[in-house]
Amino acid sequence: MVKKGQAKGGKPGGGGGSKKLAPPTTSADDSFIVFSNSDKEPKPRRPPPGTGGPSGLDGPALAGEAPKRPDVKKLIGGASWTGKLPVNMLSEHCQKQRWEKPEYTMSKTPEGYSSMVILKAKNPKTQEFVQLQPFKLPPTHKHLAAKPTALEARHFAATYGLFRVCSMRNIHMMLPPDYRDLWKGDFEALKKGDIKEGRAWMYEADPFAALREREEAKALMEKKRAEQVKAKEKAANTPGGPGGVGLALRNGGSAPSGSGSHNIHRGWTRVPKIEMGKRSRIHVETLIRKYAIWNPHEVKMSEFQKHSIINEFKNLDFRQSHVEEAVEECKDREETLEWLLIHVPEDDLPRWALPEGYTAGISMASSDLKREGAIKRLAEAGYSLDLCRQIFDVHGDEGGAAYALQEILLSSGQDSDSSPAEQDSWASQDAEESSESIWEEELTSLHSVFGEKFSRPSKDVCRIAITPANRGRNQAVEPVLQFRRSLEYPQKVPVVSVHAVLPSYIRLSIMKQALNHAIDNLIGEQMLFFLVDWLEQNMYGIIERPGRLREISAAASTTSEVRPIHRKRQTFTRHPRPIKWTPNPKSKEDWTRRQLDPKLEARIGQRKTLPAWEMREIIIDTVNDHQVTIISGETGSGKSTQSAQFILDDLYQRSLGDCTKIICTQPRRISALGLADRVSEERCSPVGQEVGYIIRGESKTTPSTKITFVTTGVLLRRLQTSGGSSEDVVASLADVSHVIIDEVHERSLDTDFLLVLLRDVLRKRKDLKLILMSATLDAGVFEDYFRSNGKVGRVEISGRTYPVEDYYLDDVIQMTGFNAGRGARRDDDDTETDGMDADVAAAIQSIGMRINYDLVMQTVKEIDAELSHLKQDGGILIFMPGVVEISRTIDYLRSVSNLHVLPLHASLQSSDQRRVFPHAPSGKRKVVVATNVAETSITIDDIVAVIDSGRVKETSYDPQNNMRKLEEVWASRAACKQRRGRAGRVQAGKCYKLYTRNAEMTKMMERPEPEIRRVPLEQLCLSVRAMGIKEVGRFLASALTPPESLAVDGAMDLLGRMGALDGDDLTALGRHLSMIPADLRCGKLMVYGAMFGCLDACVTIAAILTVKSPFVSPQEKREEAKSARAKFAKNQGDLIGDLKAFEQWDEMVSNRGIRQGEIRNWCSDNFLNYQTLNDISSNRSQYLTSLRELSFIPSSFSVASEMNKNNNNLALIRSLCAGAFNPQLARIDFPDKKFAQSVSGAVELDPEAKTIKYFNQENGRVFVHPSSTVFDAQTFPGNSVYMSYFNKMATSKVFIRDLTPFNAYTALLFSGPITLDTLGRGLIVDGWLRLRGWARIGVLVSRLRGMLDDVLARKIDEPGLNLSGNEVVEVVMRLVELDGLDQ
């Protein structure tokens, strides 16, 4: 509704008009809101002259005319927007939820109008109205709400209100453009910040339920506080805890009872319970004490975050001073909470943070009363009881243990390795006797001074009761000081302890400060009297300001580290030296001399016949005049072989040859190899000298190499590992003068990623030249992309191809006389076969979309016969979609004796790929069966005929399964044109297309969709982050074809849940995964396998998941096939069954005594596919090679055997699978237990399989697929309470497949982030998995996970590091195997 005086063109976030606006009336503003009952609209007066309406015109056409509905839409959304208004959307949402009509506040400020929305709802039980507080932006974002008109302010308030209750839904796409940007921009950032700071309740879908829960929790907290006061009063008068006091447990008292308590624990009663065995806990605590690192990336929280956390944790009954110390050391709320639970002594922890039934200072009954008495006396000084027990057991006597504990206290919080108490040792009998005599003399004096306040329990121990001075407002304390003689007293300080009704951390702080005073001022003289005097004067001052918890925490907790560990990763990046463009006449002289070589002259003569040679001067001038040049040229023009040579020769001519280094990227290995060979040959130079190549795992270059052909991935890896910042990326190319990107039109993910990086590099390296080469003439899109870097040069080279004659499927069938389907009835409705002969049409319909290998074989025979008749020697090139199809084609063609058949695909070794270039042996015809690697770049000189299947294996993304898949699809028309061109490189040729004309026009796309739009983005986002780029979304938005922002956000979220990112920082696991060329889940599984000593098993499972399960399930024998798979699985899960079947097959294949026929029979009997097992084996070898190339696994067999020592540990392998597939896991919900009577008493019955239910986070209830080996399972191994899955599919129900059962500790150690429930109910893993148990277990495991990541980081820095026997790895392995128990 347009109001009087409305400003021109106001939009959210935009500026307003010059006129002040009167606030609109409520009725007018509600005129288009769903709740309105009014059917009349007030007629606003004509705006004053000079004020524009929302469309920028001079108001409505007629004075007093009621504005039409589109006016509001134009004002809020712009002229062309057609979605829903925010106010209407919020109103509709409230109606659906049965809430009351939203109300709006309105205020006028100097900045403009500001509005807030208020929601109300009626309580169905009490019929009372519940009103929420207005949805108010924090002060930091207040400016967003200021709008030039009241109408816009109200729509802004509605948008924010909608976000608060619907942020988990994608309804923002219906909002006006500016509001949509707010939703995904400022509002989303605000939500992330609030969630980090513990305010996730603000974004609940039902804010009224969230309010009820918070009020219940608040009431419970008040009740606890009242009980705490009582407990403190009682504790003050009750002896018994360490230090002779009843430990005033913070938030003390038992758990409250009553209805409030019942509500709080609802939903937690049936969840799994976690426990940690005593020995396991001591082991973990010891490791954390040695290795734990806090805030490894040194993240600094904002003052706002710190303030929020301090306020929240004060309400959770932590001391403010402790929380203030923690927020300075930690990166976020969760780590702050963990730090407090590790460092705060148990007597000062809130009640909810202690285990059930905890009683301070009381230990289990022991037969060794002397030992227990000594331990209790040591703990009275404030030391942790468990720490006293550990230290006493090491030293065996009370005196030695007391001294060791004091050394720990003195070392706590020190950055240096030496204790401040370390002095020169006397180490002589005389010194010992001297110490005793000095001690006796001093104690006699003290007795006479302090009289009754002095006591001497033993020869080396004395106690003195003191009354401290300067009490001020402090509560009175009556401390007793205890001094124990050290062996070298007074050259070393005595052992001091303070016994008083004070929290242990204050007692320890008093002791430490007194000892430091003695070390600094009193060493070498009798010091007890001076220590007593110092303590009397300073004790109350220390009680008021006890200092940092870190200073004493090593003595107060068994887990706190003695000194903070700061392990900054050393990154030694050696960047090449920058180019110095200094002419060197010698390089020109050498080049001029070489031009006189007759062989080189002959090669130059051949090069002059190429179309590119005619454009030589134009190419050189264009490259010299522009920073970016695009060279377009049809297949056969010579652009790939000649362009780099033209540039190099020009620089030689200008005496700049020494400064030249040209990198030319190719999409495939064979292209890089073929071009390096070809160009080396043309320059009469061995490969690796002037011209070289680098591909993954193989390289031939020298420091003097001028042109290097590389795969795109190799150049990306160089940039990715340059050091982790944009400056490092630029520096990594410092010695490169020209970058040529060939086949840029293919738009692979790597190429698009490289273009984004290079565009930024070009802005900083003005002397760097970029040349893009494309086989098609669609260069405009690239020109537009690089225009911001300056004018883009363009060169077009005409192709040199001979005419090619096309034959389509119907022509091929008639030519070969292929008779499949002849005589069958034709389907007249099939448009594919319109106008064709009936028999040919029937044959085409019988073939369908499949590749018919008989037809391929007959076509090859026909071509061979025709060429032989014409006495021509040319070869035949067959395009197939994938390796499996190539193998089948070769199998069929083997029966034709005069054919020399060769495969060509990216998986072949370089030596095998090169076999396609030489001519066939005499009397044979060469037939190359290739994937699309043969479409561009490589040239097989003697091809005269092409058979094109029209199909290609293309990477696609299945969001249902969250998995990359290679699917067979129609090739694009642009790709088929390239294939066709291969037949006309050396003479007129023929192309036999095994598809119809109709399929070409209707089913094939003009060109393939860019890969960045059809693959999951986790790997790309990880690679971007690995290069030090923090704003991944913004970086990818600058790509040639930007991916959807939602896809990027989803990918980043998944990376966090997988453990590859910690907030915005890359973890060590993430660094590894960014380098492994595999699906992230498979890569993660292989990393775990190498760490935990079950490498072969994990790599095999990764290969199985990449290929497919080797088991087949014929329709008529489904149950037998299922039984065969279950026999291998033995209730351990589907993947373990597949692994065991493969291992048995592999063992048989390796045994030369077993014939292949026997192995095939065994496969048939066990419903296994022999070819699939072969493919798995091949894939497995590739993965192992990749890991060796990355130096992640060693080449030596002896170390390799260490990496497989746990290959038979199925409990461990199941845990690693679950960890790798996270967050793809489901909770197992068992029915209530049932029992049957037996002779020995009641026996628990296994539940029926159908009564066991499964739930995941996204779908709620899910179902085990009937083909799974656990479909009929009644029990699961190793206390399994969860099920991981690799695939999920929705048909009539949501089914999960490829299942592996696992236990609670696996979820804790390998799943998403651990959150502590601050009501003491347990832990929450990954935001939804609940586990009952002591909060401290969650903290210990969370720290252990950090240490495991640190072990991985060291593995990156030291690739040869053998993790076999590593303490952290061993303890993690034991926890998941035994589910946290000791045995």
Side-chain angles (χ1 to χ4, degrees):
M1 191 74 188
V2 180
K3 299 291 166 221
K4 178 183 174 183
Q6 187 161 289
K8 179 180 178 181
K11 284 193 180 181
S18 59
K19 296 270 181 184
K20 286 192 176 177
L21 302 159
T25 63
T26 307
S27 60
D29 273 332
D30 284 350
S31 58
F32 297 141
I33 298 175
V34 174
F35 282 105
S36 173
N37 296 318
S38 170
D39 57 354
K40 295 179 182 176
E41 297 175 4
K43 298 183 179 181
R45 294 187 296 275
R46 178 193 292 273
T51 37
S55 60
L57 303 172
D58 291 332
L62 297 170
E65 180 181 325
K68 295 189 172 90
R69 224 175 255 205
D71 290 341
V72 179
K73 286 204 166 190
K74 283 179 185 175
L75 174 68
I76 302 300
S80 59
W81 175 70
T82 57
K84 285 189 175 184
L85 289 166
V87 166
N88 292 1
M89 288 174 70
L90 180 60
S91 298
E92 288 169 9
H93 182 74
C94 290
Q95 272 194 330
K96 284 178 188 170
Q97 301 300 319
R98 299 178 184 270
W99 301 339
E100 297 299 302
K101 166 185 171 181
E103 294 179 5
Y104 296 86
T105 68
M106 187 67 68
S107 60
K108 182 83 165 56
T109 66
E111 292 80 29
Y113 287 92
S114 183
S115 176
M116 292 185 286
V117 71
I118 300 171
L119 298 185
K120 288 183 182 178
K122 188 182 283 187
N123 187 319
K125 291 182 181 175
T126 63
Q127 296 300 305
E128 293 177 353
F129 281 104
V130 178
Q131 178 171 314
L132 300 177
Q133 289 294 316
F135 286 162
K136 186 177 181 181
L137 285 166
T140 52
H141 290 67
K142 200 175 174 182
H143 62 281
L144 296 174
K147 298 294 166 198
T149 67
L151 181 67
E152 289 167 282
R154 183 168 294 200
H155 281 289
F156 175 88
T159 306
Y160 182 57
L162 266 175
F163 184 80
R164 287 283 294 268
V165 295
C166 298
S167 63
M168 65 297 297
R169 293 168 55 196
N170 284 330
I171 61 171
H172 64 285
M173 299 309 291
M174 292 185 277
L175 288 167
D178 289 344
Y179 294 88
R180 193 186 312 152
D181 294 343
L182 277 170
W183 186 292
K184 289 308 290 178
D186 291 297
F187 289 174
E188 190 64 43
L190 193 59
K191 178 182 175 181
K192 284 180 181 172
D194 284 331
I195 290 172
K196 242 181 195 177
E197 287 152 17
R199 294 193 293 274
W201 55 267
M202 289 173 63
Y203 300 93
E204 292 285 347
D206 187 346
F208 299 99
L211 178 66
R212 279 196 301 276
E213 281 181 20
R214 289 179 65 235
E215 285 176 345
E216 284 173 8
K218 192 175 176 184
L220 181 66
M221 200 64 76
E222 290 297 327
K223 193 171 182 180
K224 282 186 175 183
R225 277 210 190 95
E227 288 171 350
Q228 175 195 356
V229 172
K230 286 182 190 172
K232 280 183 177 173
E233 288 170 0
K234 186 178 177 184
N237 304 312
T238 307
V245 300
L247 290 178
L249 291 173
R250 317 240 23 217
N251 198 14
S254 57
S257 57
S259 61
S261 172
H262 173 72
N263 289 339
I264 288 297
H265 287 275
R266 187 184 298 157
W268 286 82
T269 51
R270 287 172 62 89
V271 302
K273 187 171 184 179
I274 49 160
E275 294 175 304
M276 190 181 279
K278 187 177 177 183
R279 285 203 304 276
S280 298
R281 183 159 71 90
I282 290 170
H283 197 167
V284 173
E285 287 174 344
T286 306
L287 286 176
I288 292 172
R289 199 175 179 85
K290 284 162 68 176
Y291 302 123
I293 298 175
W294 298 90
N295 195 0
H297 303 290
E298 298 181 2
V299 175
K300 293 290 180 192
M301 286 191 272
S302 67
E303 291 304 316
F304 180 67
Q305 277 178 296
K306 290 177 187 175
H307 182 70
S308 302
I309 292 170
I310 290 166
N311 284 340
E312 182 192 354
F313 287 1
K314 267 169 57 186
N315 293 332
L316 292 175
D317 286 300
F318 285 105
R319 291 188 190 275
Q320 181 166 340
S321 61
H322 294 169
V323 186
E324 285 170 351
E325 183 181 344
V327 294
E328 294 302 327
E329 292 211 24
C330 299
K331 65 180 180 185
D332 57 20
R333 176 191 179 276
E334 211 52 48
E335 190 174 78
T336 304
L337 188 53
E338 290 181 8
W339 192 96
L340 289 166
L341 292 175
I342 287 281
H343 292 87
V344 174
E346 285 182 357
D347 68 329
D348 217 36
L349 282 173
R351 182 77 207 181
W352 62 264
L354 296 166
E356 293 174 19
Y358 174 85
T359 312
I362 297 176
S363 58
M364 298 298 289
S366 167
S367 57
D368 190 346
L369 296 177
K370 183 180 176 184
R371 172 179 174 274
E372 285 299 316
I375 289 168
K376 188 174 180 184
R377 285 191 296 277
L378 291 168
E380 284 175 357
Y383 295 111
S384 157
L385 195 64
D386 283 340
L387 183 62
C388 293
R389 197 171 283 121
Q390 289 175 28
I391 299 296
F392 184 86
D393 289 343
V394 170
H395 289 270
D397 71 281
E398 191 173 341
Y403 186 77
L405 286 165
Q406 184 164 288
E407 287 295 295
I408 290 171
L409 175 63
L410 287 169
S411 300
S412 181
Q414 300 295 320
D415 279 322
S416 65
D417 286 339
S418 61
S419 165
E422 283 180 13
Q423 313 293 336
D424 293 334
S425 174
W426 287 7
S428 72
Q429 184 70 32
D430 291 344
E432 172 71 19
E433 290 171 4
S434 173
S435 173
E436 285 182 8
S437 65
I438 293 170
W439 181 259
E440 285 297 332
E441 184 184 322
E442 189 167 10
L443 260 55
T444 304
S445 302
L446 288 172
H447 190 194
S448 63
V449 172
F450 292 105
E452 291 180 357
K453 292 183 177 180
F454 176 90
S455 61
R456 190 172 179 182
S458 67
K459 186 178 80 162
D460 289 334
V461 178
C462 74
R463 289 188 171 188
I464 300 170
I466 64 169
T467 305
N470 309 315
R471 176 184 161 197
R473 292 184 168 185
N474 292 298
Q475 190 174 347
V477 291
E478 298 174 357
V480 175
L481 310 179
Q482 177 176 295
F483 300 98
R484 183 185 295 273
R485 181 178 71 86
S486 57
L487 289 177
E488 297 166 24
Y489 179 83
Q491 296 304 319
K492 285 197 174 180
V493 290
V495 178
V496 179
S497 55
V498 176
H499 302 254
V501 184
L502 290 168
S504 61
Y505 87 99
I506 294 180
R507 279 177 277 149
L508 290 169
S509 188
I510 293 168
M511 287 153 52
K512 181 162 184 175
Q513 291 190 43
L515 286 164
N516 284 335
H517 169 73
I519 289 164
D520 293 340
N521 303 292
L522 305 175
I523 287 293
E525 58 184 278
Q526 294 181 356
M527 64 182 82
L528 298 188
F529 177 81
F530 299 107
L531 267 173
V532 172
D533 181 61
W534 188 89
L535 283 163
E536 282 183 328
Q537 297 302 317
N538 292 282
M539 186 170 288
Y540 279 122
I542 297 172
I543 289 170
E544 284 179 13
R545 291 176 296 279
R548 293 169 63 239
L549 197 56
R550 168 75 80 185
E551 296 294 327
I552 57 89
S553 56
S557 161
T558 49
T559 321
S560 173
E561 59 278 17
V562 175
R563 58 186 61 85
I565 302 168
H566 305 289
R567 189 172 294 140
K568 283 294 273 185
R569 197 121 284 112
Q570 300 270 335
T571 51
F572 300 105
T573 309
R574 291 185 180 173
H575 294 310
R577 289 181 180 175
I579 296 172
K580 289 182 179 176
W581 293 96
T582 310
N584 180 1
K586 187 175 182 301
S587 66
K588 180 178 179 178
E589 290 165 15
D590 292 343
W591 175 73
T592 309
R593 196 180 313 115
R594 282 172 53 201
Q595 302 302 299
L596 304 175
D597 181 351
K599 283 186 182 176
L600 188 59
E601 285 181 341
R603 293 292 183 192
I604 292 173
Q606 293 170 0
R607 289 170 58 195
K608 285 180 177 177
T609 63
L610 291 167
W613 189 272
E614 297 166 19
M615 307 293 290
R616 180 169 172 269
E617 294 301 327
I618 295 172
I619 291 172
I620 291 168
D621 291 343
T622 308
V623 170
N624 288 338
D625 294 345
H626 301 85
Q627 195 176 14
V628 181
T629 302
I630 302 170
I631 301 175
S632 306
E634 290 290 339
T635 299
S637 63
K639 66 182 185 308
S640 298
T641 56
Q642 303 307 307
S643 299
Q645 294 190 69
F646 296 158
I647 294 166
L648 177 59
D649 289 342
D650 173 61
L651 287 161
Y652 276 139
Q653 184 75 41
R654 290 154 53 196
S655 302
L656 294 170
D658 287 351
C659 313
T660 309
K661 190 164 187 179
I662 301 168
I663 289 182
C664 183
T665 74
Q666 294 295 324
R668 300 172 192 89
R669 293 192 311 165
I670 189 166
S671 308
L673 291 169
L675 285 166
D677 284 348
R678 177 78 172 268
V679 175
S680 293
E681 193 180 317
E682 288 183 352
R683 298 187 74 80
C684 297
S685 165
V687 177
Q689 296 298 315
E690 191 182 30
V691 179
Y693 66 84
I694 305 174
I695 59 174
R696 201 177 75 218
E698 194 179 333
S699 70
K700 270 194 181 178
T701 58
T702 62
S704 60
T705 300
K706 300 300 175 189
I707 301 173
T708 308
F709 289 94
V710 302
T711 49
T712 315
V714 165
L715 181 54
L716 268 180
R717 184 64 42 79
R718 174 173 174 169
L719 302 181
Q720 192 174 317
T721 55
S722 59
S725 73
S726 56
E727 289 74 24
D728 288 321
V729 172
V730 175
S732 69
L733 293 173
D735 64 336
V736 176
S737 59
H738 298 73
V739 176
I740 300 175
I741 303 182
D742 203 356
E743 314 300 351
V744 74
H745 62 278
E746 290 190 9
R747 300 296 306 281
S748 70
L749 189 68
D750 282 353
T751 300
D752 276 12
F753 183 16
L754 190 56
L755 290 178
V756 185
L757 290 170
L758 289 174
R759 189 168 70 161
D760 289 341
V761 172
L762 290 171
R763 292 189 181 114
K764 296 169 185 172
R765 272 275 319 273
K766 294 299 181 184
D767 63 325
L768 180 66
K769 303 286 188 180
L770 175 65
I771 297 98
L772 307 178
M773 297 203 292
S774 170
T776 55
L777 298 178
D778 56 350
V781 65
F782 301 105
E783 185 177 358
D784 292 342
Y785 186 65
F786 283 98
R787 190 166 280 142
S788 62
N789 293 71
K791 192 177 178 192
V792 177
R794 284 187 64 168
V795 179
E796 291 182 10
I797 308 171
S798 58
R800 186 200 66 179
T801 52
Y802 294 90
V804 176
E805 195 176 347
D806 291 326
Y807 295 89
Y808 286 88
L809 183 56
D810 50 327
D811 304 320
V812 173
I813 287 172
Q814 286 179 327
M815 179 184 81
T816 57
F818 184 69
N819 63 0
R822 283 183 187 267
R825 188 173 174 186
R826 171 182 174 171
D827 180 1
D828 292 328
D829 295 331
D830 190 350
T831 55
E832 289 283 317
T833 55
D834 281 352
M836 291 184 189
D837 175 81
D839 283 344
V840 172
I844 289 173
Q845 286 167 5
S846 71
I847 292 169
M849 295 298 168
R850 302 184 312 276
I851 295 170
N852 190 295
Y853 296 94
D854 281 323
L855 176 60
V856 173
M857 183 175 70
Q858 288 191 32
T859 307
V860 171
K861 284 181 177 177
E862 191 68 30
I863 296 167
D864 176 49
E866 185 183 342
L867 291 172
S868 298
H869 177 71
L870 296 170
K871 296 193 166 110
Q872 290 182 358
D873 293 333
I876 303 169
L877 176 59
I878 305 174
F879 282 99
M880 285 287 159
V883 178
V884 174
E885 292 77 13
I886 288 174
S887 299
R888 287 193 67 182
T889 305
I890 291 172
D891 285 343
Y892 271 79
L893 295 177
R894 278 204 182 104
S895 60
V896 186
S897 59
N898 68 316
L899 298 181
H900 177 58
V901 187
L902 296 165
L904 177 59
H905 51 82
S907 304
L908 285 176
Q909 293 296 320
S910 309
S911 55
D912 291 330
Q913 290 182 340
R914 287 196 177 102
R915 291 172 57 208
V916 302
F917 296 113
H919 291 273
S922 179
K924 299 263 189 181
R925 185 172 307 283
K926 181 166 73 177
V927 178
V928 178
V929 191
T931 57
N932 59 349
V933 301
E935 275 176 23
T936 53
S937 285
I938 67 155
T939 302
I940 305 171
D941 283 338
D942 54 353
I943 298 299
V944 294
V946 166
I947 299 174
D948 182 11
S949 65
R951 311 288 283 176
V952 66
K953 286 272 178 76
E954 199 172 72
T955 305
S956 66
Y957 174 51
D958 182 356
Q960 194 66 245
N961 297 330
N962 183 30
M963 182 65 181
R964 286 176 192 258
K965 281 192 175 176
L966 261 179
E967 290 184 312
E968 187 183 301
V969 295
W970 287 109
S972 67
R973 290 201 290 276
C976 290
K977 184 181 176 185
Q978 294 292 330
R979 294 178 178 188
R980 173 185 184 274
R982 296 284 131 179
R985 292 297 293 268
V986 290
Q987 64 175 58
K990 294 182 179 180
C991 180
Y992 300 87
K993 302 181 175 183
L994 303 185
Y995 46 88
T996 61
R997 291 171 178 81
N998 185 278
E1000 185 176 62
M1001 296 313 299
T1002 61
K1003 293 181 179 173
M1004 291 180 172
M1005 293 170 63
E1006 177 59 36
R1007 55 180 55 87
E1009 188 177 17
E1011 200 176 13
I1012 201 168
R1013 286 279 195 166
R1014 55 182 169 83
V1015 296
L1017 299 177
E1018 288 83 42
Q1019 191 83 51
L1020 176 62
C1021 290
L1022 191 60
S1023 296
V1024 173
R1025 190 63 199 81
M1027 301 179 75
I1029 297 162
K1030 288 210 168 186
E1031 295 184 354
V1032 175
R1034 182 181 291 182
F1035 176 84
L1036 292 178
S1038 64
L1040 196 57
T1041 308
E1044 288 285 337
S1045 60
L1046 284 173
V1048 177
D1049 292 344
M1052 294 297 285
D1053 180 58
L1054 186 62
L1055 288 173
R1057 295 177 72 181
M1058 286 187 73
L1061 291 178
D1062 177 11
D1064 286 334
D1065 294 299
L1066 201 66
T1067 62
L1069 175 64
R1071 288 165 72 196
H1072 275 301
L1073 294 181
S1074 70
M1075 294 185 281
I1076 296 175
D1079 176 89
L1080 284 179
R1081 293 167 296 171
C1082 294
K1084 191 174 174 185
L1085 182 60
M1086 292 188 283
V1087 169
Y1088 282 160
M1091 281 187 76
F1092 288 93
C1094 44
L1095 178 67
D1096 272 355
C1098 289
V1099 172
T1100 301
I1101 291 172
I1104 289 167
L1105 292 168
T1106 306
V1107 181
K1108 61 180 178 180
S1109 170
F1111 286 95
V1112 291
S1113 182
Q1115 187 77 34
E1116 66 283 1
K1117 293 185 177 180
R1118 190 156 282 176
E1119 286 306 311
E1120 293 99 309
K1122 192 174 169 183
S1123 300
R1125 194 179 186 191
K1127 182 180 70 179
F1128 287 100
K1130 295 180 180 170
N1131 206 31
Q1132 297 280 336
D1134 301 329
L1135 298 178
I1136 299 294
D1138 293 355
L1139 169 67
K1140 289 297 168 189
F1142 176 85
E1143 286 177 344
Q1144 206 165 324
W1145 172 83
D1146 194 47
E1147 196 177 311
M1148 293 171 74
V1149 169
S1150 304
N1151 186 341
R1152 294 181 180 276
I1154 302 176
R1155 296 195 313 276
Q1156 195 181 48
E1158 290 178 57
I1159 299 172
R1160 286 185 179 273
N1161 290 338
W1162 176 83
C1163 288
S1164 179
D1165 293 343
N1166 288 287
F1167 295 90
L1168 289 161
N1169 184 302
Y1170 186 87
Q1171 184 57 47
T1172 304
L1173 287 164
N1174 262 321
D1175 292 343
I1176 292 167
S1177 180
S1178 168
N1179 217 287
R1180 182 173 169 276
S1181 299
Q1182 284 179 38
Y1183 278 149
L1184 287 168
T1185 303
S1186 295
L1187 292 173
R1188 282 193 194 95
E1189 286 170 4
L1190 292 169
S1191 302
F1192 192 71
I1193 61 173
S1195 304
S1196 64
F1197 180 77
S1198 58
V1199 185
S1201 60
E1202 280 290 318
M1203 301 191 105
N1204 289 310
K1205 65 177 184 180
N1206 296 315
N1207 258 350
N1208 294 317
N1209 187 336
L1210 297 183
L1212 176 63
I1213 295 169
R1214 283 190 288 104
S1215 292
L1216 300 183
C1217 286
F1221 303 162
N1222 178 64
Q1224 291 170 211
L1225 54 93
R1227 174 173 60 83
I1228 304 174
D1229 189 54
F1230 293 98
D1232 292 332
K1233 292 179 180 179
K1234 292 184 179 177
F1235 298 87
Q1237 288 298 325
S1238 70
V1239 178
S1240 57
V1243 177
E1244 186 181 338
L1245 299 173
D1246 289 335
E1248 292 181 45
K1250 64 183 179 184
T1251 64
I1252 301 172
K1253 297 176 182 175
Y1254 303 85
F1255 298 87
N1256 76 353
Q1257 189 179 13
E1258 300 84 29
N1259 309 93
R1261 188 172 179 189
V1262 292
F1263 297 84
V1264 171
H1265 196 271
S1267 66
S1268 171
T1269 59
V1270 300
F1271 182 72
D1272 299 317
Q1274 295 174 274
T1275 58
F1276 303 103
N1279 296 336
S1280 294
V1281 287
Y1282 300 111
M1283 191 72 74
S1284 79
Y1285 57 88
F1286 194 73
N1287 281 317
K1288 183 175 69 172
M1289 57 185 292
T1291 52
S1292 54
K1293 299 171 181 173
V1294 177
F1295 288 106
I1296 50 177
R1297 311 178 67 155
D1298 301 325
L1299 306 179
T1300 308
F1302 65 97
N1303 59 27
Y1305 262 88
T1306 298
L1308 267 179
L1309 279 157
F1310 295 115
S1311 191
I1314 299 171
T1315 310
L1316 305 178
D1317 177 69
T1318 52
L1319 295 175
R1321 297 171 295 189
L1323 318 167
I1324 302 169
V1325 181
D1326 204 22
W1328 74 286
L1329 294 177
R1330 294 175 176 179
L1331 291 166
R1332 281 182 301 141
W1334 185 18
R1336 191 181 182 86
I1337 292 177
V1339 178
L1340 295 179
V1341 171
S1342 185
R1343 291 295 99 205
L1344 197 56
R1345 284 162 64 160
M1347 284 151 41
L1348 193 63
D1349 196 65
D1350 193 54
V1351 171
L1352 260 179
R1354 281 167 43 217
K1355 176 75 174 164
I1356 290 178
D1357 296 339
E1358 307 166 47
L1361 183 68
N1362 181 7
L1363 297 180
S1364 174
N1366 178 279
E1367 287 181 280
V1368 176
V1369 171
E1370 291 292 324
V1371 79
V1372 168
M1373 203 155 61
R1374 188 171 176 78
L1375 285 172
V1376 296
E1377 275 184 74
L1378 301 175
D1379 202 24
L1381 302 179
D1382 288 334
Q1383 58 184 18

